[in-house]
Amino acid sequence: MRRTEDKTFLALVAVVSIAFAYVIAPFFGAILWAMIATIEFFPLRNRLLRAMPGHRNGAALLTLLVIVAAVILPAIILAAFLVQEALTLYAKVESGKIDLNHYFRQFHDNLPPWAGRSLERFGLTDLDAALAKLGAAVVDSFQTLASQVLNVGGIAFGFLLALGVMLYLTFFLLRDGDALAARVATAGPLRTEQRQALLDTFVVVIRSTIKGSLVVAILQGVIGGLLFWGLGIEAPVLWGVAMAVMAFLPVVGAGLIWVPVAAFLLATGAVIKGIVLIVFGIFVIGMVDNVVRPILVGRETRLPDYVVLISTLGGLAVFGANGVVIGPVIAALFMTLWTLATTSRTTNHAG
């Protein structure tokens, strides 16, 4: 009888947990980033709490204000510039001030003869033909993206709602995070060393992803955007953000943006600009990852680049933008769990 009651209780726990996860699913991103902000800024909260003992609310509030001033406000300002630049660029293309067909023809005409013949062999003789080769799905994706950019009102409302939830939750996680972490750590049916290893992996990967990948991405985006602005290339903020996004992908990174632009500049006769972009791309943008990331991450655990690349791409495909963090975290937990399982199995056999 007791066994039946226990099974019923566990089934009830599972059903209610799944239902709760379904209820909070719309705010998954806000919850995730609240946890990330808490993990990153919890050391600051602890220092403030030591300076003002007994004032947990005050320490949490001051930490939250630092998050808003150092992260949220700059992100909002950047987003405003990005939207404005995207709208301006879209308007120029629509009005004909930026003639994409002209740029494509100029690029085609300046290619070496063998390259021009290759494009003609594939039917890429003008922009319309190139877009047709890309396929309707890709074109539809660009049209969908453009419509989303123009739908500023709906995006702004959803963003403000998610931001409000994220900041509200961050305050309580900062205030009660240590107690909550202790309760979560004792809730699972795992040995103490297993729980600690998983918790340490989660925290380390979150911090290394944010301190390493995010800061490096921001630096590469800023440097790339300033470089594009100095070279007189249209929409430097847009290009800078694109490079920052691509910088999350190891090996290829921001080069997915600046390399094709440099090739276009060389092919259209802007040789000096193309050479400048290549030199700065290799020796400045490309070196940021090798110089800055080790300083920020230090000796913390780093996943192999190929694991980061695959898990990041998979995370983006499954979870959208949040997958930049979720993918590497899942990969790290996977590797930690299998390491623990292997170690445990070896220990049992030895015993």
Side-chain angles (χ1 to χ4, degrees):
M1 184 66 180
R2 179 76 175 174
R3 189 179 234 174
T4 302
E5 291 174 347
D6 289 342
K7 289 182 177 179
T8 303
F9 177 73
L10 289 176
L12 183 61
V13 169
V15 169
V16 172
S17 298
I18 294 172
F20 180 69
Y22 181 77
V23 168
I24 66 174
F27 296 102
F28 172 77
I31 296 169
L32 171 68
W33 288 101
M35 293 173 61
I36 291 173
T38 302
I39 290 172
E40 289 294 328
F41 286 89
F42 210 71
L44 173 61
R45 173 265 192 190
N46 287 339
R47 287 196 292 270
L48 290 172
L49 191 58
R50 285 194 296 269
M52 42 194 299
H55 295 82
R56 300 175 70 86
N57 285 328
L61 182 59
L62 286 175
T63 307
L64 188 64
L65 291 176
V66 170
I67 294 173
V68 171
V71 180
I72 304 300
L73 288 179
I76 292 175
I77 293 171
L78 176 63
F81 274 112
L82 180 62
V83 170
Q84 181 60 43
E85 195 164 86
L87 292 172
T88 302
L89 185 63
Y90 183 80
K92 286 183 178 180
V93 173
E94 284 289 294
S95 65
K97 289 183 179 179
I98 296 179
D99 188 351
L100 296 180
N101 274 301
H102 168 73
Y103 286 122
F104 188 89
R105 285 194 301 272
Q106 188 180 10
F107 172 76
H108 183 274
D109 293 343
N110 284 277
L111 286 174
W114 62 268
R117 287 194 296 271
S118 297
L119 289 180
E120 291 173 2
R121 190 160 50 247
F122 287 105
L124 303 177
T125 54
D126 55 45
L127 184 62
D128 292 334
L131 290 177
K133 288 290 183 181
L134 285 174
V138 175
V139 176
D140 289 343
S141 298
F142 280 113
Q143 291 174 345
T144 302
L145 179 61
S147 65
Q148 289 295 319
V149 170
L150 294 175
N151 185 22
V152 178
I155 295 174
F157 176 77
F159 170 77
L160 291 175
L161 181 61
L163 179 62
V165 172
M166 177 257 182
L167 293 176
Y168 182 78
L169 182 58
T170 301
F171 171 79
F172 288 102
L173 290 176
L174 287 168
R175 191 189 70 177
D176 307 320
D178 42 8
L180 289 171
R183 291 183 64 180
V184 170
T186 57
L190 298 172
R191 291 198 295 270
T192 303
E193 64 273 15
Q194 293 174 332
R195 287 198 302 266
Q196 193 60 47
L198 290 175
L199 182 61
D200 290 345
T201 298
F202 180 78
V203 172
V204 165
V205 173
I206 289 290
R207 284 182 175 163
S208 64
T209 299
I210 300 302
K211 280 200 308 183
S213 300
L214 185 58
V215 174
V216 166
I218 291 172
L219 285 174
Q220 289 186 329
V222 169
I223 294 171
L226 289 174
L227 180 59
F228 275 44
W229 173 76
L231 294 174
I233 298 172
E234 286 281 350
V237 175
L238 201 59
W239 288 114
V241 171
M243 278 186 274
V245 172
M246 291 297 105
F248 280 98
L249 302 177
V251 183
V252 287
L256 285 174
I257 303 298
W258 67 261
V259 169
V261 174
F264 175 82
L265 291 173
L266 292 174
T268 53
V271 177
I272 295 178
K273 289 184 177 181
I275 293 174
V276 169
L277 183 53
I278 290 173
V279 171
F280 273 83
I282 294 173
F283 295 104
V284 180
I285 298 176
M287 290 301 294
V288 166
D289 186 68
N290 297 326
V291 175
V292 176
R293 193 189 300 271
I295 295 174
L296 293 174
V297 178
R299 296 183 180 275
E300 292 178 354
T301 302
R302 280 194 62 190
L303 296 173
D305 283 344
Y306 62 88
V307 175
V308 175
L309 178 62
I310 295 172
S311 61
T312 301
L313 291 174
L316 288 169
V318 176
F319 299 102
N322 296 321
V324 168
V325 176
I326 299 174
V329 167
I330 292 176
L333 291 176
F334 170 81
M335 295 177 73
T336 301
L337 280 170
W338 274 99
T339 300
L340 289 172
T342 304
T343 304
S344 175
R345 195 171 178 180
T346 304
T347 302
N348 290 338
H349 279 305

